Amino acid sequence: MCGQPGCHHKSDKPVSRSRNWAGPFRKTPGRLVGMGLIRLYQLTLSGFIGNSCRHIPTCSEYGYEAIARHGLWSGGWLSLFRVARCGPGGTSGYDGVPESLRSVRYWQLWKLWTVGKHKG
């Protein structure tokens, strides 16, 4: 269950060792490209830019999950708005990706800004 070394718990599910979202999603070309770019950033530039993220999950983890769940268009905009909220005077704390965007149309970008806002 816990996946720690020396743990003897029995579990049916494999333990994910990745920091990114491992849930099910449709593997469309746009999603794979977007997630690939974010993963490339995580492996190359993320270590140089610094570990001073104000949110949980980090912006790159948020972007990876948002694109996996909601596609490149909506997930990309959610990610961009999240990075904008990380600046000075922005929010902090837990800010998870919304489960669904049923009330948001693809052209209503201002609603994506309010959907992703941290409420607390």
Side-chain angles (χ1 to χ4, degrees), residues 23-92:
F25 61 93
R26 290 187 0 229
K27 291 165 179 63
T28 60
R31 288 179 184 184
L32 294 176
V33 167
M35 291 166 49
L37 289 173
I38 289 176
R39 189 65 184 142
L40 181 68
Y41 161 78
Q42 288 175 339
L43 294 173
T44 57
L45 298 176
S46 180
F48 296 114
I49 292 177
N51 295 325
S52 59
C53 194
R54 300 168 61 177
H55 290 98
I56 298 173
T58 65
C59 291
S60 62
E61 292 169 4
Y62 183 94
Y64 189 94
E65 182 176 348
I67 291 172
R69 282 188 178 188
H70 304 299
L72 186 59
W73 179 258
S74 297
W77 283 107
L78 282 171
S79 302
L80 181 69
F81 293 151
R82 166 66 180 273
V83 170
R85 286 194 304 270
C86 263
T91 60
S92 62

